[in-house]
Amino acid sequence: MSSPEYWTKPWPSSSAEKPPPPGSNQAAVAARPTAEQVIAGLRATSEGGPDLVQLLTPEGERVTHPHFDLDITPEELRSLYRDMVLVRRTDRECNALQRQGQLGIWVPLLGQEAAQIGAGRAMRPQDMAFPSYREHGVAWCRGIDPTDLLGIFRGTDHGTWDSQEKRFHPYTIVIGNQVLNAAGYAMGQRLDGKVGDGHQDDAEATIVFFGDGATSQGDVNEGFVWGAVYDAPVVFFCQNNQWAISEPMERQSRIPLYQRASGFGFPGIRVDGNDVLATLAVTRWALEECRSGNGPVLIEAFTYRMDAHTTSDDPTRYRLSDELEAWKLKDPIERVRVHLVRSQFADADFFAQVDAESDALAERLREFCINMPTPPADRIFSHVYSENSPVLDQQRDEFLDYLSKFEHAGGAL
Amino acid sequence: MAETTSRTATRSIDTTNRSGSLGSDEQPASTQKITIAKALNLGLRTAMERDPKVLLLGEDIGKLGGVFRITDGLQKDFGEQRVMDTPLAESGIIGTAVGLAIRGYRPVCEIQFDGFIFPGFDQIVSQLAKLQFRTQGRVKMPVVIRVPFGGGIGAVEHHSESPESYFAHTAGLKVVACGNPVDAYWMIQQAIASDDPVLFFEPKRRYQDKAELDTSVQPIPLHSSRVLQEGSDVTVVCYGPMVRTCTDAARVAAEEGHRVELIDLRSLSPLDLNPVFESVRRTGRLVVVSEAPGQSSITSEIAAQVQQHCFYSLQAPVLRVTGFDTPYPPTKLEEEFLPDLERVLDAVERSLRW
Ligand SMILES: Cc1ncc(C[n+]2csc(CCOP(=O)(O)OP(=O)(O)O)c2C)c(N)n1
């Protein structure tokens, strides 16, 4: 399955948009689309194409896939459901906290719960994750309490979790930077002999998260090159949520993103990112490939950003509401809920219990957020270097001395 | 620190009108009160109308009008070929702008936030800055790179930086910063008209500052600094977002009996320091203000040059009020990091007491 040929078969020409011939008048491309084109575009956006890996349909039906399957107990299913509900609740609560002025900004993950929980639950404790800035669900799976995310968005710190202990790197805001960092980390895993024969218990892999827009960056493409030529155990996990702020997928690529992998010499797979089971199965496989020396792998999780890009964004300026409606029918949580109910894997008590748990979590988040202390001014000068910096120490002392004048004058520090 | 915002608010007077005035006594009816954001939009529009070779490139600048809406409505009116939503890659934006310029276009690139210029740094310093020199003038680089810069807007990491000194350090680039709507309107057009690459820094925190714009009053040259307020006690030099902070500080200093001569640099490379030298020769004192970290920066350059050219006139050492030599802090601490009215006044007083 890991033979590159399998993954490099061309996109079926019937569903491929023919690129304009070289030298053709770009004005034709730039013209406003016809109604038919809009509808075709909508369908192309919401359907993942023939290579999409899916194990649970939007209607909540279990289906099989020739290359990926998943043995999963009802208990595991319930726990995936619980993860997604709690993560969504965290997201909605933080969105509300931003609206109420408690957070400076929030980056919603609404709609991407399955992609993140599927990927996050596929990891082993020793694996390392490099997130972008929307990976609240992956953070959850790494055992990071949601309150640890708040510092970034309230502006008290740049994230307070221990990234070494949790094996979850700090959020990265400069698009694409983390992909090279992850490739390097994975090279280190290989150098340390942590890439095994598939049976080694302490074998490790790295997974790095980025968006569809990020695939245009040099860093991401360089990350692919490095990962490939050093056989680094790294899973490149692209959450294609269809938009990079206002720019649709077409603004980043002529071909489906997973197909890019073949040009770099490793497999690329498109998975239904709204299907937690498929994402789990595919990521588990990919991480295992990496741990046993067959990396890298590119996964394109085909999903959709249901909310604004951030709380500062206004999506009504650029996207069609029809698109949103089409994707609502693919909700990642709803389909698991339906499946649980229909299979009698969960009863009303279970759902009530998860709801109660999520209410409690929201309340705890709110309470924590409102009471977060502002760090003291000398935080500015701490940890700039690992060694004492006499110049900076002097700058700090002078500044604290200056501030103390206000204290004496009766000002509040 | 003491509630500086409220102090600033109570003590300060809206001075943007004044810095916006170009010194003309006439007030033709054609003037309009506009923000820096709108002035830039209007300046870009005017430049595009005047020259069909002017193109805009950037992330989200089309339908969205840019994250700050500076290009609002331009794609609608000029089309997708002249206002291009680019793929998400700064090196790509700047590198292709270099190619477009070789082909005779005048690209204006938008970098979404200061901290995102670095993926494009290589193209800026290796190609954009040096092509004219390498080709002995055969190839011109009429490229403008617009960068909303500076802090004070409560944003997350990489959204509040002041990277101007990196570019001022590179020969072949011109670097400017506007501080009010009138300059915004004219300077963007002058930058686009220039055959040299111009890094155009916009004080994002001041985008909504308003002033009267009279388009019939001709602008001063792009690379000249301007005396905003005359005074005989101490010279204060600033640029970009600090223009307003320093205007407010000068006003408060005046209430306290100190006459500040205030100079807006406008151009950071080349620097027009003659007005600064002349001023310091009269006042004997200089305070240089910038929110960028001070180490090896534009403020260091000014301090060095002033001591070289005005050594015998100085009655106090040149003092600098800058951001600290640290990464930009989390936003709850940015008020401490950024020079404010109090810190400028403190430096003015220290200089006077020397
Ligand atoms: C280098 C860089 N350029 C620009 C930005 C501003 N920006 C933040 S998010 C974003 C869009 C990212 O889209 P995508 O990669 O698809 O990820 P998504 O946010 O959709 O998950 C942009 C342009 C940035 N953070 N970094």
PDB file of all heavy atoms in Angstrom, chain B residues 25 35 70 103 327 350 352:
ATOM      1  N   ASP B  25      -2.521  78.254   4.021  1.00  0.00           N
ATOM      2  CA  ASP B  25      -3.516  79.044   4.747  1.00  0.00           C
ATOM      3  C   ASP B  25      -4.899  78.909   4.122  1.00  0.00           C
ATOM      4  O   ASP B  25      -5.910  79.051   4.802  1.00  0.00           O
ATOM      5  CB  ASP B  25      -3.121  80.522   4.772  1.00  0.00           C
ATOM      6  CG  ASP B  25      -1.940  80.730   5.713  1.00  0.00           C
ATOM      7  OD1 ASP B  25      -1.825  79.936   6.678  1.00  0.00           O
ATOM      8  OD2 ASP B  25      -1.139  81.630   5.469  1.00  0.00           O
ATOM      9  N   THR B  35      -9.634  59.159   6.860  1.00  0.00           N
ATOM     10  CA  THR B  35      -8.729  58.374   7.696  1.00  0.00           C
ATOM     11  C   THR B  35      -7.484  57.998   6.890  1.00  0.00           C
ATOM     12  O   THR B  35      -7.478  58.087   5.660  1.00  0.00           O
ATOM     13  CB  THR B  35      -9.406  57.065   8.145  1.00  0.00           C
ATOM     14  OG1 THR B  35      -9.719  56.309   6.952  1.00  0.00           O
ATOM     15  CG2 THR B  35     -10.681  57.322   8.928  1.00  0.00           C
ATOM     16  N   ILE B  70      -7.782  48.143   3.083  1.00  0.00           N
ATOM     17  CA  ILE B  70      -7.087  49.248   2.412  1.00  0.00           C
ATOM     18  C   ILE B  70      -7.360  49.200   0.906  1.00  0.00           C
ATOM     19  O   ILE B  70      -7.407  50.228   0.248  1.00  0.00           O
ATOM     20  CB  ILE B  70      -5.561  49.192   2.692  1.00  0.00           C
ATOM     21  CG1 ILE B  70      -5.280  49.202   4.194  1.00  0.00           C
ATOM     22  CG2 ILE B  70      -4.829  50.342   1.982  1.00  0.00           C
ATOM     23  CD1 ILE B  70      -5.802  50.391   4.949  1.00  0.00           C
ATOM     24  N   ARG B 103       9.407  43.205 -16.453  1.00  0.00           N
ATOM     25  CA  ARG B 103       8.558  43.216 -17.644  1.00  0.00           C
ATOM     26  C   ARG B 103       7.857  44.569 -17.841  1.00  0.00           C
ATOM     27  O   ARG B 103       7.030  44.716 -18.723  1.00  0.00           O
ATOM     28  CB  ARG B 103       7.537  42.081 -17.467  1.00  0.00           C
ATOM     29  CG  ARG B 103       6.622  41.841 -18.605  1.00  0.00           C
ATOM     30  CD  ARG B 103       7.334  41.268 -19.813  1.00  0.00           C
ATOM     31  NE  ARG B 103       6.492  41.389 -20.988  1.00  0.00           N
ATOM     32  CZ  ARG B 103       6.830  41.007 -22.210  1.00  0.00           C
ATOM     33  NH1 ARG B 103       8.024  40.459 -22.427  1.00  0.00           N
ATOM     34  NH2 ARG B 103       6.007  41.161 -23.209  1.00  0.00           N
ATOM     35  N   PRO B 327      11.623  40.135  22.208  1.00  0.00           N
ATOM     36  CA  PRO B 327      10.514  39.883  21.273  1.00  0.00           C
ATOM     37  C   PRO B 327       9.297  40.700  21.710  1.00  0.00           C
ATOM     38  O   PRO B 327       9.158  41.010  22.894  1.00  0.00           O
ATOM     39  CB  PRO B 327      10.242  38.384  21.436  1.00  0.00           C
ATOM     40  CG  PRO B 327      11.498  37.820  22.019  1.00  0.00           C
ATOM     41  CD  PRO B 327      12.083  38.908  22.877  1.00  0.00           C
ATOM     42  N   ARG B 350      14.190  64.471  31.192  1.00  0.00           N
ATOM     43  CA  ARG B 350      15.569  64.071  31.521  1.00  0.00           C
ATOM     44  C   ARG B 350      16.567  64.867  30.687  1.00  0.00           C
ATOM     45  O   ARG B 350      17.598  65.303  31.177  1.00  0.00           O
ATOM     46  CB  ARG B 350      15.758  62.573  31.271  1.00  0.00           C
ATOM     47  CG  ARG B 350      15.470  61.737  32.518  1.00  0.00           C
ATOM     48  CD  ARG B 350      15.864  60.298  32.314  1.00  0.00           C
ATOM     49  NE  ARG B 350      15.021  59.651  31.309  1.00  0.00           N
ATOM     50  CZ  ARG B 350      15.470  58.827  30.385  1.00  0.00           C
ATOM     51  NH1 ARG B 350      16.754  58.519  30.307  1.00  0.00           N
ATOM     52  NH2 ARG B 350      14.632  58.280  29.518  1.00  0.00           N
ATOM     53  N   LEU B 352      16.130  67.809  29.409  1.00  0.00           N
ATOM     54  CA  LEU B 352      16.144  69.210  29.844  1.00  0.00           C
ATOM     55  C   LEU B 352      16.880  69.395  31.171  1.00  0.00           C
ATOM     56  O   LEU B 352      17.478  70.426  31.415  1.00  0.00           O
ATOM     57  CB  LEU B 352      14.695  69.719  29.975  1.00  0.00           C
ATOM     58  CG  LEU B 352      13.994  69.986  28.649  1.00  0.00           C
ATOM     59  CD1 LEU B 352      12.493  70.143  28.848  1.00  0.00           C
ATOM     60  CD2 LEU B 352      14.573  71.233  27.976  1.00  0.00           C
TER      61      LEU B 352
END
